Amino acid sequence: MSVHDSGTMDEKTIGKAFAGEKIVKVITCEQAFEIAEKYRIRMDEISAYCNTHGIKIRACQLGCFK
């Protein structure tokens, strides 16, 4: 996995992780946590990627997203 000097993962790497998990338009909170652990991606990076690419987060464990 490629990490920039700033410590953030690049979008290509996150995109590849999402493609590998077949995430296109919607991701559940549980899937996001699983991807974060499996691919060693921080949750804030996953969130930023989702926001930038219009991917909706569903079934939030905190009830924030429906």
Side-chain angles (χ1 to χ4, degrees), residues 37-64:
E37 186 175 329
K38 181 176 180 179
Y39 294 94
R40 296 183 178 174
I41 302 171
R42 293 190 339 237
M43 285 300 295
D44 63 324
E45 293 172 330
I46 289 176
S47 175
Y49 183 88
C50 288
N51 286 336
T52 301
H53 295 277
I55 298 171
K56 301 290 183 187
I57 300 171
R58 300 284 186 233
C60 179
Q61 294 166 328
L62 298 174
C64 297

Side-chain angles (χ1 to χ4, degrees), residues 11-24:
E11 285 200 20
K12 263 189 185 175
T13 302
I14 297 171
K16 286 181 183 179
F18 274 43
E21 300 297 322
K22 298 182 180 23
I23 304 298
V24 179

